[in-house]
Amino acid sequence: MATLNERQLVALVQEGLPYDTRFFQQLITPYLSDLKGYCSKLLNHSSDAEDAVQETLIKALTHLKSFKWVVSFKAWLFKIAHNECINKIRDRRWNTQIEDSEYFINTIIDDTKEIDFSEALSYLMEHLSFIDRNIMLLRYRTGLELQEIADICELKLSAVKMRHKRVIEFLQKQLKDNSALNINEYEVTE
């Protein structure tokens, strides 16, 4: 049997819903790894990320019948994931008291420890604002285009481009200066 493309799979899943979901697994499988990675990096909490992925898949299946090709299936799926991650963050704000970020950062930094490039980059990414981290993850973790990212984040394309450029410049400067742990000058509140 020939391999089905994304449009064909979407059509088959839409035809079979709500009772026949056998093609749904085939449709989402190529995106699962990126989806899990995106939610994990955006939320910085593994169980919340797992929940967000599950909720994303449930909502995608539930609403796939009404999916239109205004955007790609991938962009639509990551828009759902984006919204689920925002919901998780909102839930956290209600359920936990946010620690003073400066105190928290100072307690996890050990000045005597050597940090390699990937650790430094991961550390810097974790401490970007939610919006900036989201843009970078959608661009480099999932490979979405800037216009798709703008649609997902509900921002203007020019704003996404500027934030992307600013974060790249910041990361380059921090990593070049070997001061990857000095992030206080960049942190932006949402």
Side-chain angles (χ1 to χ4, degrees), residues 1 16 93 121 128 132 135:
M1 180 176 168
R93 286 182 181 159
L121 186 58
L128 293 175
D132 291 341
I135 290 169

Side-chain angles (χ1 to χ4, degrees), residues 24-51:
F24 183 70
Q25 183 69 35
Q26 191 176 348
L27 176 64
I28 60 160
T29 297
Y31 306 114
L32 279 178
S33 177
D34 287 341
L35 192 63
K36 289 174 184 176
Y38 168 72
C39 292
S40 178
K41 292 287 186 185
L42 193 59
L43 294 170
N44 290 326
H45 193 269
S46 61
S47 66
D48 280 353
E50 290 172 16
D51 291 346

Side-chain angles (χ1 to χ4, degrees), residues 167-185:
V167 171
I168 293 291
E169 289 169 352
F170 166 74
L171 292 174
Q172 286 174 337
K173 180 183 183 305
Q174 290 297 313
L175 294 172
K176 180 182 174 195
D177 292 346
N178 291 323
S179 59
L181 296 178
N182 184 10
I183 62 170
N184 295 331
E185 71 183 71

Side-chain angles (χ1 to χ4, degrees), residues 74-91:
K74 180 179 183 179
W76 181 74
L77 185 65
F78 278 91
K79 174 69 174 179
I80 296 170
H82 166 82
N83 291 335
E84 285 304 313
C85 289
I86 288 174
N87 289 340
K88 290 290 177 198
I89 290 169
R90 284 184 186 139
D91 289 347

Side-chain angles (χ1 to χ4, degrees), residues 77-165:
L77 185 65
F78 278 91
K79 174 69 174 179
I80 296 170
H82 166 82
N83 291 335
E84 285 304 313
C85 289
I86 288 174
N87 289 340
K88 290 290 177 198
I89 290 169
R90 284 184 186 139
D91 289 347
R92 269 194 225 156
R93 286 182 181 159
W94 283 104
N95 295 332
T96 62
Q97 186 172 359
I98 299 173
E99 296 180 45
D100 177 55
S101 62
E102 205 170 299
Y103 170 77
F104 177 70
I105 290 168
N106 289 336
T107 60
I108 62 171
I109 295 174
D110 178 0
D111 293 326
T112 62
K113 181 178 150 187
E114 288 281 327
I115 296 180
D116 70 14
F117 178 78
S118 63
E119 285 178 4
L121 186 58
S122 290
Y123 180 81
L124 287 169
M125 286 292 294
E126 287 176 13
H127 292 87
L128 293 175
S129 71
F130 173 80
I131 295 169
D132 291 341
R133 185 171 63 241
N134 193 23
I135 290 169
M136 299 306 283
L137 289 171
L138 286 169
R139 180 72 179 128
Y140 297 105
R141 183 104 187 165
T142 68
L144 291 171
E145 297 298 320
L146 292 175
Q147 183 60 59
E148 292 174 312
I149 296 168
D151 294 341
I152 289 170
C153 296
E154 297 177 357
L155 295 169
K156 291 184 178 182
L157 178 59
S158 59
V160 170
K161 286 179 178 179
M162 182 53 73
R163 283 178 170 274
H164 178 264
K165 180 179 184 275

Side-chain angles (χ1 to χ4, degrees), residues 48-61:
D48 280 353
E50 290 172 16
D51 291 346
V53 170
Q54 286 178 353
E55 289 297 319
T56 298
L57 296 177
I58 290 167
K59 286 187 178 177
L61 182 59

